[in-house]
C-alpha cells in the first residue's frame, strides 16, 4: 500500500490596518486518523477533507485524480477556509488592469516555495468567495494556483473603495491515482496576501 506523510501548506499573511485574515497555516495531513470520511461542497462539488480514511477511500476507488480540502486551517473559526476582512479608503484605486481596475482595490496573492515531486504547485487550487461587502471574486470556482498567479499579478478580489468586505479563500490539493509516495512526503508553500493601494 502506498503511504503519504503529512503535507503542509503554510500561509504567511500580509497584516495591515486594512487587511485582517484569520489563519496562519493550512494543513493537509493525509496521515490524520480523523474517523469517518468528511465531505464538503464549497462550490457545489463534493471534496474529501484530507485524512487517512479519505486517502484510503481514494486509493480503494482507484480514480484518475482526487481533490482534497484541508485537514485543518489553523486560526480559522471554520477550520476549512481562510476568512479575510478588508476595509478600503474612500480614495484612489488599486491601479490594476483587471484586478483593482478603476476605483477598486485588489487583494493579491503571491507564493514562494515549490512542492516536491510527485506533487507540484499546479496541484494546488484556489477559490475566492465574497461573503459580504461590495467586492468581486475573480476566481469564484476552483482554479489552479498558476492561473491565479497569472491573473493580473495574482489578483483574487477587487474591492470597491470606502467599503468593508468579508472574503473567504478555499485551498485544495489534487492527488493522482498514479502518485507514489514512497518513504513519505512533506512540502511547504508560503502564501502572502496584500491589498494593492494606489
Amino acid at each position: 500500500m502506498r503511504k503519504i506523510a503529512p503535507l503542509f501548506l503554510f500561509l504567511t499573511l500580509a497584516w495591515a490596518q486594512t487587511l485582517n485574515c484569520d489563519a496562519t497555516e493550512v494543513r493537509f495531513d493525509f496521515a490524520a486518523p480523523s474517523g469517518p470520511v468528511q465531505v464538503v461542497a464549497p462550490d457545489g462539488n463534493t471534496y474529501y477533507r484530507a485524512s487517512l480514511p479519505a486517502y484510503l477511500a481514494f486509493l480503494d476507488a482507484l480514480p484518475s485524480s482526487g481533490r482534497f480540502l484541508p485537514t485543518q486551517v489553523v486560526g480559522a473559526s471554520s477550520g476549512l477556509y481562510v476568512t479575510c476582512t478588508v476595509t478600503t479608503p474612500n480614495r484612489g484605486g488599486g491601479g490594476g488592469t483587471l484586478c483593482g481596475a478603476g476605483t477598486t482595490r485588489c487583494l493579491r496573492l503571491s507564493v514562494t516555495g515549490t512542492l516536491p515531486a510527485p506533487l507540484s504547485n499546479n496541484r494546488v487550487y484556489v477559490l475566492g468567495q465574497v461573503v459580504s461587502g461590495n467586492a468581486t471574486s475573480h476566481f469564484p470556482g476552483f482554479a489552479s494556483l498558476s492561473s491565479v498567479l497569472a491573473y493580473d499579478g495574482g489578483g483574487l478580489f477587487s474591492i470597491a473603495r470606502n467599503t468593508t468586505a468579508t472574503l473567504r479563500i478555499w485551498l485544495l490539493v489534487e492527488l493522482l491515482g498514479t502518485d507514489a509516495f514512497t518513504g513519505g512526503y512533506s512540502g511547504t508553500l508560503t502564501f502572502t496576501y496584500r491589498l494593492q493601494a494606489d
Side-chain angles (χ1 to χ4, degrees):
M1 177 192 299
R2 290 171 292 174
K3 295 181 180 178
I4 184 169
L7 163 63
F8 297 103
L9 302 181
F10 292 97
L11 298 179
T12 302
L13 302 176
W15 297 104
Q17 290 183 347
T18 55
L19 174 60
N20 290 295
C21 299
D22 66 357
T24 56
E25 178 183 315
V26 175
R27 184 176 296 169
F28 295 83
D29 184 353
F30 291 93
S34 61
V37 174
Q38 298 180 44
V39 177
V40 184
D43 62 350
N45 299 307
T46 58
Y47 305 95
Y48 287 148
R49 195 168 179 176
S51 68
L52 180 58
Y55 181 60
L56 295 176
F58 167 72
L59 292 180
D60 288 343
L62 295 176
S64 59
S65 65
R67 295 180 178 182
F68 294 83
L69 290 167
T71 309
Q72 181 184 16
V73 180
V74 179
S77 58
S78 72
L80 280 168
Y81 48 79
V82 180
T83 300
C84 295
T85 302
V86 180
T87 301
T88 56
N90 188 21
R91 58 179 172 77
T97 304
L98 301 170
C99 184
T103 60
T104 65
R105 300 292 174 107
C106 182
L107 178 62
R108 298 186 190 280
L109 168 68
S110 60
V111 177
T112 56
T114 302
L115 293 179
L119 299 183
S120 70
N121 291 14
N122 281 338
R123 300 268 208 98
V124 177
Y125 289 78
V126 182
L127 177 149
Q129 294 175 329
V130 178
V131 178
S132 64
N134 189 358
T136 301
S137 171
H138 298 293
F139 294 93
F142 278 109
S144 67
L145 187 56
S146 61
S147 296
V148 173
L149 296 177
Y151 187 82
D152 197 13
L156 280 175
F157 299 94
S158 290
I159 304 102
R161 67 184 181 183
N162 195 31
T163 192
T164 296
T166 301
L167 311 171
R168 188 175 291 167
I169 301 168
W170 296 79
L171 297 168
L172 60 76
V173 66
E174 182 178 55
L175 301 183
L176 302 182
T178 55
D179 287 337
F181 297 99
T182 56
Y185 183 93
S186 64
T188 300
L189 295 179
T190 301
F191 287 61
T192 302
Y193 298 99
R194 59 189 170 88
L195 187 64
Q196 173 127 14
D198 295 331

